[in-house]
Amino acid sequence: MADSAPRTIPEATVTRLPLYYRSLLQVAETDLATISSERLADMAGMNAAKVRKDLSYLGSYGTRGVGYDVEYLLHQISRELGLTHDWPVAIVGLGNLGQALAKYAGFSTRGFKVAALLDADPAKVGMAVGDLSVEPMDALDRLVRDRSIAIGVIATPADAAQDVADALVAAGARSILNFAPAHVTVEPGVSLRKVDLATELQILSFYQLRRSNPSGDTTSGDTTSGDTTSGDEAMPPQVSSAQVS
Amino acid sequence: MADSAPRTIPEATVTRLPLYYRSLLQVAETDLATISSERLADMAGMNAAKVRKDLSYLGSYGTRGVGYDVEYLLHQISRELGLTHDWPVAIVGLGNLGQALAKYAGFSTRGFKVAALLDADPAKVGMAVGDLSVEPMDALDRLVRDRSIAIGVIATPADAAQDVADALVAAGARSILNFAPAHVTVEPGVSLRKVDLATELQILSFYQLRRSNPSGDTTSGDTTSGDTTSGDEAMPPQVSSAQVS
DNA sequence: CCGAGCTTGTGATCGAATTCTCGAAGTCTG
DNA sequence: CAGACTTCGAGAATTCGATCACAAGCTCGG
Ligand SMILES: NC(=O)c1ccc[n+]([C@@H]2O[C@H](COP(=O)([O-])OP(=O)(O)OC[C@H]3O[C@@H](n4cnc5c(N)ncnc54)[C@H](O)[C@@H]3O)[C@@H](O)[C@H]2O)c1
Ligand SMILES: NC(=O)c1ccc[n+]([C@@H]2O[C@H](COP(=O)([O-])OP(=O)(O)OC[C@H]3O[C@@H](n4cnc5c(N)ncnc54)[C@H](O)[C@@H]3O)[C@@H](O)[C@H]2O)c1
């Protein structure tokens, strides 16, 4: 069967596909040939209905009464995510974080390949990290072009983030992952995601506080609302953030 | 004064408070005493209505016709997020990433303080990173207790993540930030958030693919990049994921 | 003191995402 | 081959989040 599914995968589903992918990779290492939505849900920390709904956006790849063929599903997801070939990635800013990223092995095993390292600091240029050496910023255009780099990672200080993003886009990158704690805007047609350590910790902090101090702070002493039953209500879920266009 | 607001801040709002906080810190460095929802929205990459709605959950801290008092709002948000004092954080796993995190300055400037470093590798124990030295895992209980650590960061390989999480929880930590690409479960009452580089890149990859190849067929080969001229519709938004309990 | 001009706060609306449910479709056993 | 059992797929219901739209409240000029 060819496909003919309504090619519209909800945003929320897209963010979960990598989780399923990861879990499926684990399963593939065992000898199990198929997996049920329920088991996959357990592994990924989801619930079965959501898994099925998500996977159904890709097409009907399951078999009722049996489950999903692991290899086949892996193939479908990797095709959907574009992991059938490695994406060359450029890392900009080879400080603490940038170097850790550059040396990170898991990078290459998940569909990506560090293809260029750049830094504005002349002292850093020429330095070898992993099996690449750090290049100066003015080599960006050339590197992006010659190495077909579409994804750029920003690991510079916050105040350089926007400039670096602009440079990456100007050079031709169309996807950016920003680790700097700064808001960056990019033109429509370029994807941007961000990872911010402080944000994550602050979210944890919020719920941590709630748990030990259910009221707001100032006075009060109501709340307690809700059904709640077992003491486990003020708990968090999770998210990150990003943006496009 | 007079609170009694329905103390229920939506999950989605909680994840954005840190962004507002960050933007407000920037504004506070200028001489502006107040800021409008519109300007704050610009800075944080949101829209004004959302900002107002979010802030309204904290209480009515704005002044119509004027905007929000920067200092006051900062204070309120930091109180809500529990940033009025520094949270001691333990980092487990001092490899590439763990060391970068331990040396990360921005940590301390955002309401957190690295209070303990732990690693299972005897070769790593004793090593100095920043101004702490790495401790063995069996010191975890003592460190968490003595240093009032509530938040643990996991930077170990994926296969150790669950064990480390269990150890952290057993020691008394109630919030965990997991950098390892593995699904970890924790008991109710403990918050868990995760950051996964590969997931982020894969999401970017998905949209990157969509842009250059609207259908969805395979045939890898090489990138047919050639810059797609500004297509501008199949674009992504963003999110991350996490989970609780 | 009044009216013009901003900007907030929030009810109402819209839409997206999650969860519930259950019929459909397959396997397996005897 | 029938019947019991498993598990998917997807409509319906529900929850949650984003956006709209506008009255209310504040400042300031005159
Ligand atoms: N270190 C961490 O664990 C960590 C964690 C989360 C977020 N971050 C964020 O990641 C970023 C990098 O952190 P770090 O600790 O590696 O900082 P760092 O100061 O060690 O490294 C920054 C690097 O960026 C380079 N740089 C500066 N301006 C540049 C420019 N305009 N173009 C290209 N390169 C430039 C510098 O030369 C330096 O090598 C920061 O924004 C930080 O907030 C770091
Ligand atoms: N390096 C990166 O840039 C990067 C980026 C994203 C995610 N990650 C993830 O972060 C984790 C750490 O990455 P890394 O590159 O630092 O790896 P690494 O191998 O350099 O370091 C792992 C550290 O964890 C320690 N460790 C192993 N088992 C342990 C245990 N049971 N208890 C305590 N400590 C233990 C090891 O001794 C080692 O010091 C990995 O899961 C990786 O996938 C790394």
Side-chain angles (χ1 to χ4, degrees), chain B residues 11-202:
Chain B
E11 164 63 16
T13 294
V14 172
T15 66
R16 284 188 296 262
L17 289 179
L19 300 187
Y20 302 145
Y21 185 74
R22 189 169 77 192
S23 300
L24 286 168
L25 281 181
Q26 269 180 51
V27 176
E29 280 170 11
T30 70
D31 54 353
L32 296 175
T34 64
I35 186 171
S36 67
S37 59
E38 178 145 355
R39 201 161 130 51
L40 183 52
D42 277 356
M43 296 186 67
M46 300 274 102
N47 69 58
K50 201 179 336 191
V51 168
R52 288 200 300 276
K53 178 73 79 172
D54 283 343
L55 295 181
S56 77
Y57 291 116
L58 306 185
S60 291
Y61 297 142
T63 305
R64 298 175 186 209
V66 178
Y68 299 88
D69 181 276
V70 177
E71 288 300 333
Y72 188 59
L73 190 53
L74 264 176
H75 175 71
Q76 292 303 331
I77 294 181
S78 67
R79 187 170 61 77
E80 204 67 54
L81 290 177
L83 305 179
T84 49
H85 66 86
D86 275 7
W87 291 94
V89 172
I91 296 175
V92 183
L94 275 292
N96 282 325
L97 182 62
Q99 290 180 40
L101 293 174
K103 283 186 249 171
Y104 181 40
F107 233 118
S108 27
T109 65
R110 311 285 218 86
F112 302 90
K113 179 172 183 304
V114 181
L117 307 176
L118 299 107
D119 201 296
D121 183 354
K124 289 247 164 65
V125 173
M127 179 177 67
V129 181
D131 44 37
L132 287 173
S133 76
V134 179
E135 314 255 2
M137 288 303 286
D138 55 24
L140 184 59
D141 282 14
R142 177 175 56 77
L143 291 169
V144 168
R145 195 175 350 101
D146 294 355
R147 302 181 188 175
S148 306
I149 291 171
I151 303 179
V153 173
I154 301 178
T156 63
D159 53 22
Q162 181 67 60
D163 286 350
V164 171
D166 291 344
L168 281 166
V169 171
R174 284 294 166 267
S175 296
I176 293 180
L177 181 55
N178 178 29
F179 280 91
H183 173 240
V184 169
T185 56
V186 292
E187 65 190 55
V190 177
S191 304
L192 172 69
R193 291 186 65 83
K194 56 186 148 142
V195 171
D196 185 351
L197 176 64
T199 295
E200 297 301 321
L201 289 174
Q202 287 170 0

Side-chain angles (χ1 to χ4, degrees), chain A residues 11 22 79-81 175 191-193 196 200 205 207-208 210-211 235-242 244, chain B residues 11 22 80-81 110 175 181 191 193 196 200 205 207-208 210-211 216 235-242 244:
Chain A
E11 165 63 14
R22 189 169 76 191
R79 187 170 60 79
E80 204 68 53
L81 290 177
S175 296
S191 305
L192 172 70
R193 292 187 65 85
D196 185 351
E200 296 301 321
S205 166
Y207 290 104
Q208 177 88 32
R210 279 291 154 112
R211 249 173 282 138
M235 204 101 6
Q238 197 185 125
V239 182
S240 208
S241 63
V244 194
Chain B
E11 164 63 16
R22 189 169 77 192
E80 204 67 54
L81 290 177
R110 311 285 218 86
S175 296
S191 304
R193 291 186 65 83
D196 185 351
E200 297 301 321
S205 165
Y207 290 105
Q208 177 88 31
R210 280 292 153 115
R211 248 172 284 138
M235 205 91 12
Q238 195 183 125
V239 183
S240 208
S241 64
V244 197

Side-chain angles (χ1 to χ4, degrees), chain A residues 89-121:
Chain A
V89 172
I91 296 176
V92 182
L94 274 293
N96 281 324
L97 182 62
Q99 289 179 41
L101 292 174
K103 283 185 251 172
Y104 182 39
F107 233 119
S108 27
T109 66
R110 312 286 218 86
F112 303 90
K113 179 172 182 306
V114 180
L117 307 176
L118 299 107
D119 201 296
D121 183 354

Side-chain angles (χ1 to χ4, degrees), chain A residues 18-28 35 40 43-45, chain B residues 183:
Chain A
L19 300 187
Y20 302 145
Y21 185 75
R22 189 169 76 191
S23 300
L24 287 168
L25 281 181
Q26 269 179 52
V27 176
I35 187 171
L40 182 52
M43 295 187 67
Chain B
H183 173 240

